[in-house]
Amino acid sequence: MSSGKAVCESTLASPRASQAAPPPVSRQVPPATHAANTPAPRADQFWIDRHALGKARAREASLRGDVDVVFLGDSITQGWEGEGRQAWDDAFSGRVVDGLPTPRGLNLGISADRTEHVLYRVLDGTLDPLAAPSSGRPPRLAVIMIGTNNSHGDQYTARQIADGIVAVTRAVQSRLPGIRVLLLNIFPRNVNKDAQRAKVEAASELAWSDLESDSSIRRMDLGGLFTSPDGVLDLELMPDALHLSARGYRVWASAIEPAIKQAIRTGPSPWGTAVVDLRERMRARGIPVRQQGSRDADTVFAFTAALEYAAAGAAREGEPAPDFSEQYLMWAANQATGGSRSRTGGFGPEALAAGLRDWGVCDEARMPYVARDEAIAEPDDAAKAQGRSRARFTVETLTHGTTTGGFTPEVLAAATRSLDDGRPVVAVFGWPSGKQDEAMPDDHRTPIGEGIGEGIDAASRRLSGALLVGYGLDADHPGKGYFIARLARGEWFGEDGDAAISFEYAREYGMGLYTVKQEP
């Protein structure tokens, strides 16, 4: 923040080993006891229309499954569509910046709402379509700020406003199971400190005291960003001493954007800067790194690992981990694309997808992999029958392989979003001679031997496949980040078969990106 003003945050600290475990947290909506925590609609036509619009937006978003964060509140939240439009477009529209998408938000603010009105909207089903989207995944975070309109006069006490805030928070959690919550203290109002401002401050503190034991909730008090040290409101940020100016929304966006990005990303990394790292999840699903030997089958192994990951994710509890046959997939690719038995390797994802579509995939035990170049024999009838009877898979092309290569920022963003959603990405790269080490600086790589790109220049590149299983952001890394790649070349990539491929390298030498999911 250029203002240098303080932001107060509260999170649940991890209990020390000597402390007793905290009691279970109840996320049920508390019973109504007064007006502020009793769900109530409004009768004015503006509200009726805006509530209907919110429901329509949620239904539309559920068809895409691409919303990261939902904003709930009153006119200050609705104002992202007015004075805050540019700040929203810059920070929460899902647009691509430096090859990565910003979080995609859904604005459900309604001017003049009180706690009971937001509570009604949530319990009336506004969020329900987002819990089970037609594709993609549910939102990961809700940003909640509500209560300033309850603070007028003596109708509500600070305690009652707090109860309303707690009820709204619990209602959101009940309708979006697993959601994280960023709970914002009610923004300061009125030019100078007065009884009304004291009431909203007290309400925010009382609400947090009821919710702080819930580790899925993070609290931020941004009031210091909008006032001077002695509490005088900055009228450049809040011209009417309540609502934000365009600059005020930029201040708000800058303050919460890092917390939002942290909340919607997943996975620690041994490299320390990873945003997503699915390697542990792959190990948990029983999918090891396999050795391809001397055969040109990089992409086949990456493609098979993606199939196994998708199948394991859809498997019933207790079912064994899948182990699919690379040899069968190569045969199927030959059949589907009119190849011959003499073609022994070099299969791209689109040929493999065609083979998968026509012939399915059988288990490794029915057609074991041959780790050397030789003609691919036809599978027996049992292997074919198993392949064709297996559940169908859908292969989505994020970008087709090209002869010129290079991933655009939009393609990189599609890859990182897929990884955000927990789906590995099959990637095809060109590996020009002398360039492979540029992708992997010494502090972020496992070694690559001479087997990739030997004797090949940028104009005559050899395709090589890898499975992208994570990514990291690092301002000092080429391209400001890297993909975690899982490869099948064995000791050339270290014992774990993984390496880092910088965003810069991907932008220059990337050739194609594909994802896989198993159909219901």
Side-chain angles (χ1 to χ4, degrees):
M1 288 297 304
S2 58
S3 66
K5 296 181 180 178
V7 175
C8 297
E9 299 186 43
S10 300
T11 55
L12 179 65
S14 300
R16 294 183 178 88
S18 59
Q19 294 176 325
V25 173
S26 172
R27 297 191 174 116
Q28 298 300 311
V29 181
T33 55
H34 47 72
N37 67 357
T38 300
R42 284 164 47 187
D44 56 285
Q45 193 61 48
F46 165 80
W47 186 89
I48 293 170
D49 292 344
R50 183 78 185 180
H51 179 38
L53 176 63
K55 284 188 166 184
R57 285 177 171 176
R59 287 194 299 270
E60 181 182 352
S62 74
L63 300 178
R64 303 188 307 269
D66 62 353
V67 171
D68 298 305
V69 53
V70 177
F71 287 75
L72 287 153
D74 47 38
S75 58
I76 300 173
T77 298
Q78 183 178 336
W80 286 113
E81 299 170 18
E83 290 293 323
R85 182 176 299 278
Q86 188 59 56
W88 179 277
D89 288 346
D90 289 343
F92 308 126
S93 64
R95 75 185 188 97
V96 176
V97 178
D98 290 333
L100 290 172
T102 58
R104 185 179 295 278
L106 176 64
N107 187 349
L108 297 177
I110 298 186
S111 179
D113 257 6
R114 299 194 294 265
T115 55
E116 59 264 37
H117 305 135
V118 177
L119 180 60
Y120 177 89
R121 290 196 279 129
V122 174
L123 296 180
D124 192 43
T126 296
L127 301 176
D128 293 3
L130 299 172
S134 302
S135 62
R137 35 80 186 144
R140 293 190 173 95
L141 181 70
V143 177
I144 299 172
M145 184 176 65
I146 190 63
T148 199
N149 292 314
N150 297 75
S151 68
H152 301 290
D154 298 326
Q155 183 179 356
Y156 304 87
T157 66
R159 176 68 265 175
Q160 289 171 334
I161 299 171
D163 292 343
I165 295 169
V166 171
V168 168
T169 303
R170 294 309 190 199
V172 170
Q173 292 177 313
S174 72
R175 295 303 175 116
L176 293 174
I179 193 78
R180 298 178 180 181
V181 174
L182 179 59
L183 182 65
L184 303 182
N185 278 28
I186 302 169
F187 284 175
R189 58 178 302 155
N190 306 336
V191 175
N192 296 297
K193 294 180 179 180
D194 60 9
Q196 188 176 20
R197 193 193 293 184
K199 182 190 285 189
V200 298
E201 290 174 353
S204 295
E205 293 304 318
L206 289 167
W208 178 241
S209 69
D210 288 350
L211 296 169
E212 64 179 331
S213 63
D214 189 336
S215 61
S216 69
I217 302 173
R218 178 177 180 177
R219 190 268 292 261
M220 294 186 74
D221 179 4
L222 307 181
L225 300 177
F226 304 105
T227 62
S228 66
D230 57 357
V232 177
L233 206 66
D234 187 338
L235 294 182
E236 289 189 10
L237 303 181
M238 289 184 171
D240 66 353
L242 176 61
H243 298 97
L244 302 181
S245 64
R247 182 181 163 206
Y249 278 101
R250 290 196 296 273
V251 170
W252 186 9
S254 296
I256 63 175
E257 187 178 14
I260 289 174
K261 287 181 175 179
Q262 180 183 20
I264 66 175
R265 311 300 189 191
T266 58
S269 168
W271 287 319
T273 57
V275 172
V276 175
D277 188 346
L278 301 178
R279 289 178 296 173
E280 184 57 41
R281 193 180 301 181
M282 295 199 77
R283 285 189 283 269
R285 292 186 180 186
I287 305 168
V289 176
R290 297 189 173 94
Q291 308 303 309
Q292 70 188 67
S294 60
R295 193 167 210 148
D296 181 11
D298 310 63
T299 304
V300 179
F301 274 78
F303 192 85
T304 306
L307 291 176
E308 291 170 344
Y309 182 89
R316 297 185 182 90
E317 187 174 352
E319 289 185 349
D323 184 7
F324 295 151
S325 170
E326 288 83 9
Q327 195 78 6
Y328 182 93
L329 277 174
M330 290 189 289
W331 171 84
N334 263 338
Q335 296 296 308
T337 59
S340 67
R341 287 183 63 209
S342 62
R343 184 181 180 189
T344 62
F347 297 96
E350 292 176 16
L352 294 167
L356 180 70
R357 179 197 65 220
D358 292 351
W359 293 92
V361 60
C362 74
D363 291 339
E364 173 71 11
R366 292 196 177 274
M367 191 171 181
Y369 176 68
V370 179
R372 58 185 181 276
D373 284 327
E374 64 176 40
I376 302 171
E378 183 172 350
D380 60 28
D381 291 342
K384 292 178 186 176
Q386 185 187 55
R388 284 181 154 167
S389 67
R390 195 178 297 281
R392 300 288 92 184
F393 294 87
T394 298
V395 179
E396 179 185 0
T397 302
L398 303 182
T399 181
H400 291 277
T402 66
T403 55
T404 55
F407 294 150
T408 65
E410 289 74 21
V411 169
L412 282 177
T416 58
R417 188 170 289 280
S418 180
L419 291 164
D420 286 341
D421 292 342
R423 288 192 297 162
V425 180
V426 178
V428 180
F429 293 94
W431 298 97
S433 179
K435 292 287 187 179
Q436 55 266 41
D437 283 345
E438 289 185 11
M440 298 146 201
D442 289 339
D443 60 343
H444 279 82
R445 72 181 180 103
T446 49
I448 288 187
E450 297 178 355
I452 289 185
E454 186 175 358
I456 299 170
D457 59 28
S460 176
R461 47 184 90 180
R462 172 184 178 279
L463 296 182
S464 188
L467 188 67
L468 306 183
V469 294
Y471 71 95
L473 305 179
D474 185 345
D476 297 326
H477 211 75
K480 298 183 180 180
Y482 59 88
F483 288 109
I484 302 172
R486 194 172 188 264
L487 307 114
R489 293 258 181 183
E491 68 276 6
W492 285 344
F493 293 93
E495 183 177 347
D496 294 329
D498 55 29
I501 297 175
S502 74
F503 286 170
E504 180 179 298
Y505 194 92
R507 286 172 183 149
E508 183 144 3
Y509 300 111
M511 309 290 280
L513 290 174
Y514 310 81
T515 62
V516 175
K517 66 179 180 180
Q518 182 169 306
E519 297 175 6

